[in-house]
């Protein structure tokens, strides 16, 4: 099974798509958290944003395997 993404004749690893999804999700969630004032309660905003990115990246990487049984 070929897992690479072919975009414009260039092969990309599936982690690239997961990173793009996580980046978009982090941006949207960060905008929501700013709007509700969540970052006033945190000590270090960049650390929170990196943590959110890591969580979303793990979720995006785990998503294709949900429901697949051996």
């Amino acid at each position: 099974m070929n897992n690479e993404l072919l975009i414009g004749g260039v092969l990309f690893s599936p982690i690239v798509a997961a990173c793009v999804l996580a980046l978009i999700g982090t941006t949207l969630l960060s905008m929501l958290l700013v709007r509700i004032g969540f970052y006033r309660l945190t000590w270090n905003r960049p650390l929170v944003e990196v943590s959110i990115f890591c969580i979303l990246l793990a979720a995006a990487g785990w998503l294709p395997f949900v429901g697949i049984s051996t």
Side-chain angles (χ1 to χ4, degrees), residues 6-51:
L6 182 64
I7 301 174
V10 179
L11 290 173
F12 290 99
S13 173
I15 193 71
V16 174
C19 284
V20 170
L21 287 175
L23 184 62
I24 292 170
T26 301
T27 304
L28 294 175
L29 190 57
S30 179
M31 289 172 22
L32 175 70
L33 292 176
V34 165
R35 188 170 289 257
I36 65 172
F38 175 77
Y39 287 123
R40 287 182 289 156
L41 304 173
T42 62
W43 172 66
N44 193 352
R45 179 180 173 170
L47 184 61
V48 172
E49 289 183 352
V50 167
S51 300

